[in-house]
Amino acid sequence: MSAPAKELVPLRLDGVIAYPEDVAAQYRERGYWIGQTHSDLLAKTVSDHADRVAVIDSVRTLTYAQLGERVQLVAGELAWRGIGRGDRVVVHLPNTVEFVEIAFGLFELGALPVFALAAHRLAEIRQFCAGTSARAYVTVDRVGLTSYRDIADDIAREIPAVATVLVPAGDESWTTAAPLPRRGRALPSDVALLQLSGGTTGTPKLIPRTHDDYLYSVRESARICAIDERSVMLAALPISHNFTMSSPGLLGMIAVGGSVILAPDPSPDTCLRLVEQHSVTHAALVPPLLMAWLNSSARHTADTSSLVSLWVGGAKLPAEVARRVPPELGCSLTQVFGMAEGLVNYTRVGDDDRTVFTTQGRPISPDDEIRVVDDNGTPVPDGEPGHLQTRGPYTIRGYFDAPEHNRHSFTHDGFYITGDIVIRDSRGYLQVVGRSKDQINRGGEKVAPAMVENHLLAHGAIHDVSVVGIPDDALGERICAFVIRRDPEAQTPSAAQLRAFLRTERQVAAYTIPDMFEFVTEFPTTSVGKIDKKSQGK
Ligand code: AMP
Ligand code: DBH
């Protein structure tokens, strides 16, 4: 058994900016932080709802009792591999039951999962392993055509300090002998996990979330979205993404004893079939996926009458699309405007149609502080657009180990500068009307142009490159790379060659590869001589 909590001291992790003591005390007093860890959350539901179905993927179905047992077994296996309290562990798994077992196995040990997306490749995984000084990288042998084992082999060679763990698939068993004793366990105030930010720079930003703050947002999200033990959520998007994980997501379902169906792919054919098969009540979707559902012929053949509400967010949902949800899918719509850094806004059950279709909701907490300011930092009146800054009981005070970046991303009084331009109405509802950060939002997937530019600049035949988002009906934005070749007379490298370069030489995630390449001899510049990205993005 692990040591009693009173013998534990708070985990100290260099590079984490904690909430100020007095603020933390206030969040506890007000009942936001209740002293619960992720392991406590699961244990409570295992006891309250032992026989209800917790998770289903294409291979396995586990009740909460079974999930609880598997998590103990997996925790033992991970401990045997030397993983313990405070260790960072990069988790790179698709939407399968193993993901849930590993995540909670790590929570059980007080280790911190770093939630990579299944779409990430060696370039991103290497950065997460190095940036967190990871103890281990956990993945599977392969998924479809992708060999994750190859990534594991490369990581093992490049960063020998990282132990690589290949998770046995489905019911196959782990191969180890008796587990070792555990090195302590988590306290509620400890950092529980590191989420990823879409970021705006050449290196990804890591977001440290504590058990206390993350689970406050999860429990409130579950309450706002009115889910309970009869709810069945379809996880169509990557389960490791903050939205699918916590708004209210996988964790919200676990909080109330509901069931999570893990979709192997997000296509409407697969998803709508799963909706019928498992009488799905809720799903979290990005706008392009919602559009794909609405426009899919599968919608007319699959019985979707079980749907109660769709949670849609990650990128701006056009009002014309929002309006189609109730009549065409027979369920309600909830808009979700959130960020892995913290703040999450929802439209509410009972809101009038106009609010639900045209706003991105209002914050979870009465103590979410919202500031909407002009370029000089002066607050603007309600109804006028401005930069959104926020502070509150589940919004971080700084990225992990990024002092320089934190100076630009947080105000001196601890507000997170979101980079979103919003309009707040007199009731506190927000509308996202633009963005001031250098980031492309490709249908909910966030891409930092600087990252793509760096990879392209590694190509010997490229003189310079500028990556921008350009408007797209389906995705909201597409990625376009303006490229100046070294040899202005040459016809190569071609777009196809550059795509292949990014995929096979640089090994970046497919969603970051530009949709379009434009070959130019110079970039437009602003009056001070900077590249004029605004004019390129038109
Ligand atoms: P990240 O910080 O990488 O978690 O991405 C969060 C960002 O996604 C927000 O700051 C917004 O720019 C964007 N976003 C999330 N939800 C919405 C939404 N419902 N409407 C518009 N933008 C959104
Ligand atoms: O886009 C996001 O990051 C996001 C969207 C909706 C998010 O993190 C969330 C809800 O929690």
Side-chain angles (χ1 to χ4, degrees):
M1 275 310 287
S2 44
K6 59 179 177 347
E7 291 176 19
L8 286 175
V9 291
L11 181 68
R12 268 216 31 85
L13 274 189
D14 287 342
V16 173
I17 301 179
Y19 294 84
E21 278 302 325
D22 57 329
V23 175
Q26 211 171 46
Y27 292 156
R28 290 197 179 92
E29 255 161 48
R30 297 195 179 164
Y32 304 148
W33 296 359
I34 61 170
Q36 185 180 47
T37 66
H38 285 69
S39 297
D40 298 337
L41 180 87
L42 179 61
K44 180 168 190 320
T45 299
V46 167
S47 126
D48 292 352
H49 300 288
D51 296 329
R52 295 203 80 92
V53 170
V55 276
I56 301 183
D57 68 12
S58 358
V59 181
R60 289 194 291 166
T61 297
L62 296 186
T63 63
Y64 276 100
Q66 290 167 328
L67 177 60
E69 279 172 27
R70 286 286 303 175
V71 164
Q72 291 307 321
L73 184 134
V74 168
E77 297 290 345
L78 295 169
W80 188 82
R81 284 160 176 80
I83 297 167
R85 186 171 182 220
D87 288 341
R88 278 75 69 200
V89 176
V90 176
V91 176
H92 192 200
L93 294 170
N95 283 10
T96 54
V97 168
E98 287 87 79
F99 177 94
V100 185
E101 293 173 347
I102 292 285
F104 277 88
L106 291 169
F107 291 140
E108 186 66 24
L109 299 175
L112 283 58
V114 182
F115 287 123
L117 299 173
H120 285 137
R121 292 291 171 266
L122 180 61
E124 293 88 11
I125 297 299
R126 174 193 289 135
Q127 290 184 315
F128 305 147
C129 287
T132 63
S133 306
R135 172 92 183 197
Y137 166 62
V138 180
T139 189
V140 277
D141 184 31
R142 60 168 48 252
V143 180
L145 295 177
T146 306
S147 171
Y148 288 76
R149 179 189 286 266
D150 287 349
I151 300 178
D153 289 344
D154 286 332
I155 292 292
R157 199 168 337 108
E158 288 182 22
I159 321 179
V162 177
T164 55
V165 180
L166 290 184
V167 179
D171 283 331
E172 280 174 45
S173 56
W174 294 73
T175 52
T176 47
L180 289 183
R182 304 180 187 176
R183 284 191 275 130
R185 60 188 167 80
L187 285 179
S189 56
D190 288 352
V191 174
L193 53 99
L194 291 167
Q195 265 294 359
L196 306 178
S197 159
T200 55
T201 62
T203 46
K205 291 293 162 287
L206 295 152
I207 298 169
R209 303 288 301 264
T210 64
H211 293 274
D212 267 332
D213 90 73
Y214 208 52
L215 291 181
Y216 167 56
S217 79
V218 165
R219 290 187 310 268
E220 281 303 290
S221 293
R223 195 184 56 75
I224 289 167
C225 294
I227 52 173
D228 61 28
E229 73 276 12
R230 292 158 304 178
S231 303
V232 181
M233 172 182 115
L234 182 75
L237 301 169
I239 189 74
S240 50
H241 189 275
N242 194 59
F243 181 18
T244 328
M245 169 100 49
S246 68
S247 297
L250 166 72
L251 296 175
M253 283 294 160
I254 290 179
V256 300
S259 308
V260 177
I261 315 299
L262 297 151
D265 70 78
S267 70
D269 279 359
T270 301
C271 288
L272 291 166
R273 191 176 43 77
L274 288 172
V275 168
E276 171 173 312
Q277 190 183 343
H278 298 289
S279 301
V280 165
T281 56
H282 297 82
L285 302 179
V286 286
L289 207 49
L290 172 64
M291 278 190 253
W293 281 33
L294 285 165
N295 297 335
S296 161
S297 57
R299 177 160 73 77
H300 305 287
T301 49
D303 177 1
T304 59
S305 57
S306 56
L307 284 175
V308 173
S309 192
L310 293 179
W311 306 312
V312 181
K316 179 76 184 256
L317 177 64
E320 314 81 72
V321 180
R323 265 181 237 289
R324 292 176 57 189
V325 172
E328 296 187 32
L329 288 168
C331 64
S332 70
L333 168 73
T334 302
Q335 293 215 38
V336 192
F337 163 39
M339 50 206 75
E341 288 81 355
L343 181 69
V344 184
N345 303 272
Y346 294 97
T347 55
R348 301 300 206 266
V349 177
D351 278 347
D352 61 90
D353 281 357
R354 202 181 131 78
T355 302
V356 172
F357 298 145
T358 67
T359 82
Q360 279 65 62
R362 65 180 162 84
I364 289 179
S365 176
D367 272 309
D368 278 320
E369 299 171 75
I370 299 291
R371 274 200 312 226
V372 185
V373 302
D374 67 16
D375 290 347
N376 303 318
T378 310
V380 300
D382 288 344
E384 291 194 14
H387 304 273
L388 171 64
Q389 303 179 345
T390 184
R391 188 170 74 170
Y394 58 98
T395 295
I396 55 164
R397 296 299 183 116
Y399 291 105
F400 179 66
D401 197 20
E404 181 56 34
H405 191 67
N406 285 340
R407 273 193 278 281
H408 307 291
S409 300
F410 295 83
T411 63
H412 62 91
D413 54 351
F415 279 71
Y416 169 53
I417 301 170
T418 65
D420 294 312
I421 313 276
V422 303
I423 296 176
R424 180 174 47 183
D425 70 18
S426 55
R427 305 167 304 164
Y429 281 74
L430 303 176
Q431 242 183 317
V432 183
V433 294
R435 179 182 64 212
S436 57
K437 57 190 164 191
D438 193 14
Q439 185 180 77
I440 300 168
N441 189 334
R442 187 180 185 278
E445 286 181 306
K446 320 300 186 308
V447 179
M451 187 106 77
V452 185
E453 288 164 1
N454 287 344
H455 283 297
L456 283 168
L457 285 169
H459 192 291
I462 288 184
H463 170 69
D464 203 357
V465 57
S466 170
V467 170
V468 299
I470 54 171
D472 180 85
D473 282 347
L475 291 170
E477 278 184 295
R478 268 176 306 164
I479 308 174
C480 178
F482 288 88
V483 175
I484 303 178
R485 296 186 179 109
R486 280 246 158 112
D487 176 359
E489 308 296 320
Q491 295 304 304
T492 57
S494 64
Q497 286 168 331
L498 289 177
R499 281 203 184 94
F501 172 74
L502 290 173
R503 196 174 49 245
T504 55
E505 306 259 324
R506 303 302 295 177
Q507 300 199 45
V508 302
Y511 71 87
T512 69
I513 297 180
D515 301 283
M516 295 171 59
F517 287 87
E518 294 268 343
F519 296 94
V520 295
T521 51
E522 60 183 22
F523 300 139
T525 49
T526 62
S527 52
V528 289
K530 286 203 213 168
I531 298 175
D532 186 358
K533 289 207 165 190
K534 277 217 175 91
S535 80
Q536 285 181 323
K538 299 241 162 71

